[in-house]
Amino acid sequence: MTFSIIRVARTVLHVTDLQASRDFYVNALGFIETEHDEEHIYLRGLEEHVHHSLLLKKADKPVVEVLGYKVEKEEHLTKLEALFQSQGLKTKWVEKGKQRAMGRALRVHDISGIPLEFFCEMETVERMLQRYDLYRGARIQRIDHVNCAVPDVQKAYDFYIDQLGFACSEYTATEDEKIWAAWLHRKPTVHDQAFMNGKGPKLHHFAYWLSEPMSLIHCCDVLASMGYADAIERGPGRHGLSNAFFLYLRDPDGHRIELYTGDYLTSDPDFKPIRWDLNDPRRQTFWGHKAPDSWFNETSTFIDIETGEEIAVHEPLLEQKKPEFII
Ligand SMILES: [Fe+2]
């Protein structure tokens, strides 16, 4: 590999009402607001030393503009450009200064059509980890992962493993050993990027890491107190797959955010991917309770890196099972 992707580093979401988004993400969930202007809010977690990991842009439609990955060195961006171009995939540069606090960025569409952005440079800011006086809501710490529905998980898996240098921590397989879902990482945790079999490409959710489960429980209380009980879609619970303690929320535009804590280290090269059977219900909820239909059926739409048009979606290659077997 002639480049090194460090980790998933930011999500750019379009939202229809910036104040409603601020109330939810900052006042209820406890994100730190680095700055804002008429059309943007830049948010980060308490642990993050970078300008932002979540950018909310005011727009007419609540779509997903791009999923961002940080690379180790600036020159890795041109290596990535060559790779994507060699595969006939669309690429586009966003020059330094065009995006607040960001160096030059390479935007591409991956093998499934997902809009990705690679960058090396982002302004650094004060890390709030020990500003306990600022802890509130879920005490959001840092971005952890993104999860996308794609129609061909095997194709996405092969591209990320073989071309981008990701490793697999866990996966779900069908009886005839087809990959139904995969959890892939660059940083040494369970994942940066997950893929699930489904109509796509679509963003299922993006996730933030918390330091312990009580932050998540406290967040439920805060949400209920502030009139956001309906935003709680699934959980709290524990995933079998990843072992993480989880809570899924829907923001005011319907984008899904997961609060996540309690996964494990995957740094060792001899770590063997953990296989889950598609018929094992413990993989999605270790305690056995089921997710609501909305969790399976509702996802966020991506837009084209050049035109801004919504990306066409395709039906999954593998036959869809009953909802409880989808993850
Ligand atoms: Fe997740």
Side-chain angles (χ1 to χ4, degrees), residues 50-175:
V50 289
H51 185 269
H52 66 274
S53 57
L54 177 59
L55 169 53
L56 305 176
K57 282 191 181 180
K58 170 102 178 69
D60 294 333
K61 281 190 177 175
V63 293
V64 182
E65 183 173 309
V66 82
L67 307 177
Y69 279 91
K70 187 169 183 173
V71 301
E72 189 184 338
K73 295 177 177 169
E74 167 72 23
E75 59 260 37
H76 293 176
L77 299 176
T78 45
K79 311 275 190 197
L80 280 157
E81 180 191 30
L83 168 70
F84 280 81
Q85 287 185 345
S86 73
Q87 309 245 341
L89 297 165
K90 209 185 279 187
T91 64
K92 175 191 169 184
W93 287 104
V94 185
E95 292 306 324
K96 182 172 181 169
K98 289 277 186 195
Q99 302 192 92
R100 179 73 193 96
M102 301 271 295
R104 187 169 74 132
L106 174 71
R107 291 198 172 188
V108 303
H109 284 285
D110 79 358
I111 200 77
S112 308
I114 297 169
L116 299 181
E117 174 187 66
F118 297 99
F119 67 93
C120 179
E121 184 191 339
M122 182 186 278
E123 272 180 33
T124 57
V125 292
E126 183 187 355
R127 198 171 72 133
M128 302 297 193
L129 183 62
Q130 292 184 321
R131 285 292 305 275
Y132 289 104
D133 53 313
L134 300 178
Y135 278 47
R136 57 180 177 166
R139 305 143 190 167
I140 299 280
Q141 295 290 322
R142 63 172 188 261
I143 188 169
D144 188 83
H145 64 267
V146 290
N147 184 318
C148 299
V150 293
D152 187 344
V153 174
Q154 183 72 56
K155 186 167 81 169
Y157 175 95
D158 291 344
F159 184 76
Y160 276 69
I161 298 278
D162 299 339
Q163 308 291 331
L164 298 181
F166 281 65
C168 179
S169 57
E170 307 201 19
Y171 67 102
T172 302
T174 61
E175 283 169 4

Side-chain angles (χ1 to χ4, degrees), residues 7 32 39 64 67 92 116 159 164 206 236 245 253 318:
R7 61 180 178 89
I32 301 293
E39 300 192 336
V64 182
L67 307 177
K92 175 191 169 184
L116 299 181
F159 184 76
L164 298 181
F206 61 105
F245 201 74
D253 285 289
L318 300 179

Side-chain angles (χ1 to χ4, degrees), residues 145 147 149 183 196-197 203-205 232-235 239 246-250 256-258 283-285 290-300 323-327:
H145 64 267
N147 184 318
W183 280 252
M196 301 193 298
N197 184 58
L203 179 67
H204 188 272
H205 63 268
I232 300 173
E233 184 185 39
R234 177 184 171 195
H239 288 306
F246 68 85
L247 179 73
Y248 293 95
L249 305 169
R250 304 296 291 274
R256 183 179 292 107
I257 176 171
E258 179 185 16
R283 75 190 189 289
Q284 58 164 273
T285 309
K290 296 203 168 20
D293 288 348
S294 63
W295 193 89
F296 297 105
N297 301 329
E298 297 174 15
T299 49
S300 292
E324 62 264 34
F325 295 137
I326 284 180
I327 189 176

